[in-house]
Amino acid sequence: MGRERKHMNMLLMAAAIALDAQQQPIYDAIYEPKIVAEQPNHTHKEMVMMPDGEIRYYGADLVGKEKRKVYLSSRDRGLSWTTKLWLDGWGPMAYCPWGDFYYTMDFVDTGKGGRMRFMRSRRGPDDPDRTFVKTDVGTLNFFRPMQPCEKNRLLIFGGARNVSDPVSGWTWERPALAISADDGATWREVVVTNAVSTYGKPVFFDKSLRWDNGCCESTVVELSTGELWMACRATLRHHYLYKSKDGGRTWSGPEKMAGFYASNTMPTFFKLKDGRILFFWNNTEPLAKRDPKEYPELFKRELGGHGETVFTNRDALHVAISDDDGKTWKGFREVALNSLRNCPDFRMIGNARCEENDKSVHQTQPMELPGGKILLAYGQGASRRICLFDVRWILEKGRFDDFTQGLGGLSNHLFVRSRNGACRIMYTGHCAFNRIPGAALVRRPDMDQGVIYDCLQVCRIRDERLDNDHQGVAWNFPAALKGRIELDCRVGGEGVRFALCDRWINPGDEHAADYAAFSFPIDAAALGGRDAWKKLVVSWDWKARTATVACGDTRRTFGLKTEGLSPYGPSYLHLQSVAEAHDPKGVYFRSFKMTAED
């Protein structure tokens, strides 16, 4: 038992590599997410910690027209990175803490159908002494190693398998796992045929079919009881959860993960060494699919829901934390916003022949580091990044923004009516509309010599190029059952609609008020007149299903529509212009402030 405990601690000891007197305070001071690198490949399974504490991220880059294999290397816990040539070695591998070995899987074409092959080594990717194990596991689509399950002593690779659906007759992806209970000597394959589907019908506010790929890109976590949970990427509005009490042999589900919104994006469970569980996902709502007649360029396959027409929900990445085996969750915070989200050339920017041309902040790979820090790789294409943050940041009880650091802390883009369809022409981005920034920082309307800072303006500038030219803002805060939002605002034009939401909704989404728990207009009547700065306070009690709006001496109470929404309360302020025509004044804001009261 002592030897096993030693093995489990080896990686943690390596991670505790000493920082010098200059690096340590910089590392300790990192709290909210801080971008530390841009990785050379889209995020999947490419990051690994070596036995000596070096962190590597494997991938490729271009020199002229030549593609070369490289990896990023950090020897100071992710603070700084250097690019090195990947001349030898296996590449990214996972680590087994109880067996003190590294492992991975690859695909082998046997000529009679592909099979998965397991490989392990003692000292990681550079170790020439490797052991290979042939398996009877068939091809797993987009597979990745799950975090080792220490209580059950299980190694698991998760992916998907194409399965014919008996209801529709179509072939869709279903969760598929390769599981070993003997450190990789033998493997069993589990394909879970139960899944959710649109069954070829429009859903929600859609006017055409969305990409229906069943359930795939699974992530598994082991609870303290030994029970396994598996969350999957799915086509509908939420992630879906499966549960196993027999080491992954059989699975119940799928059941909707209430409060964890998503549509066709990858989730990731990650268990900390103290037993708490992190969940990374895109807590987002895509724009409703438009009438396909608006897009004559779509192929028949895309019109039939066999390939997305446009992704509009991959610009915000979130994290939540549980300290009770997933019974309850806290946080629901934006860990990243897409740095390219406002680009008018979004489909094209950053594309290259050796790159994946998707641009998003979905797909994640986390790593736990000393001092309560998390190193997180995320994203695809030109939007991919590596960030570092402190777990304590997830648990904050409020947020404040006066926009003196710009608009990097909110979403304000609007979509241009761009070419639609999947990537089928070289150098075009996959499934993406171009964008422009909408709500902007402008000079304050009461400008005088004593005024230093600009303010945020949300208005409507008529622009027929756009999917919707009603400017909007989506601003995240820690989820809370009881709380209050204070807005320092001034009406100059027709007004905006305030919406209290439990997920990220596109700033220009015409259905934002339909998704909200509560909405009301911020106009001259609400603030008692135009052209004067007022403090508007919105308080809510999620369980009591009430909201109170106060401005000056005026106070009104409303009901909340919480049925079917997140059990953890709202986490977003959404504002959008209500102007029926051109309205260049709209509403001005000096600050947003949210405070949790539960």
Side-chain angles (χ1 to χ4, degrees), residues 443-458:
R443 68 158 53 192
R444 279 176 38 175
D446 55 340
M447 198 74 176
D448 57 38
Q449 290 184 344
V451 176
I452 300 174
Y453 300 114
D454 293 336
C455 64
L456 172 68
Q457 183 192 40
V458 181

Side-chain angles (χ1 to χ4, degrees), residues 372-558:
K373 301 295 192 287
I374 300 295
L375 187 68
L376 179 69
Y378 63 84
Q380 300 171 288
S383 300
R384 63 186 184 268
R385 298 291 187 272
I386 301 176
C387 73
L388 190 61
F389 68 93
D390 197 298
V391 174
R392 294 174 299 171
W393 165 81
I394 305 173
L395 299 170
E396 284 188 332
K397 293 294 186 180
R399 187 182 179 195
F400 174 78
D401 196 342
D402 60 5
F403 322 118
T404 55
Q405 300 299 308
L407 300 182
L410 53 79
S411 298
N412 65 322
H413 60 272
L414 299 173
F415 291 99
V416 178
R417 291 182 182 270
S418 312
R419 179 183 176 87
N420 208 339
C423 179
R424 50 183 178 261
I425 300 175
M426 190 172 294
Y427 294 121
T428 60
H430 173 61
C431 306
F433 280 168
N434 293 323
R435 304 97 179 280
I436 63 169
L441 283 179
V442 301
R443 68 158 53 192
R444 279 176 38 175
D446 55 340
M447 198 74 176
D448 57 38
Q449 290 184 344
V451 176
I452 300 174
Y453 300 114
D454 293 336
C455 64
L456 172 68
Q457 183 192 40
V458 181
C459 62
R460 186 181 186 189
I461 306 299
R462 296 294 291 121
D463 190 341
E464 295 182 357
R465 300 173 303 166
L466 303 182
D467 180 82
N468 181 15
D469 61 14
H470 289 80
Q471 291 182 7
V473 165
W475 185 70
N476 175 248
F477 52 81
L481 294 173
K482 286 185 179 181
R484 55 189 276 141
I485 292 176
E486 300 174 33
L487 304 177
D488 190 0
C489 51
R490 172 182 174 134
V491 172
E494 290 191 43
V496 301
R497 180 165 296 279
F498 173 104
L500 193 63
C501 304
D502 63 345
R503 59 201 183 274
W504 182 92
I505 297 170
N506 281 277
D509 194 324
E510 62 185 327
H511 298 292
D514 298 307
Y515 300 137
F518 166 62
S519 67
F520 72 97
I522 300 177
D523 53 18
L527 297 188
R530 299 179 187 274
D531 301 326
W533 289 103
K534 298 291 182 66
K535 178 177 288 188
L536 184 70
V537 181
V538 180
S539 304
W540 69 87
D541 185 328
W542 203 250
K543 292 184 177 180
R545 298 186 178 184
T546 59
T548 301
V549 178
C551 183
D553 296 329
T554 303
R555 186 181 182 90
R556 293 174 293 168
T557 299
F558 302 88

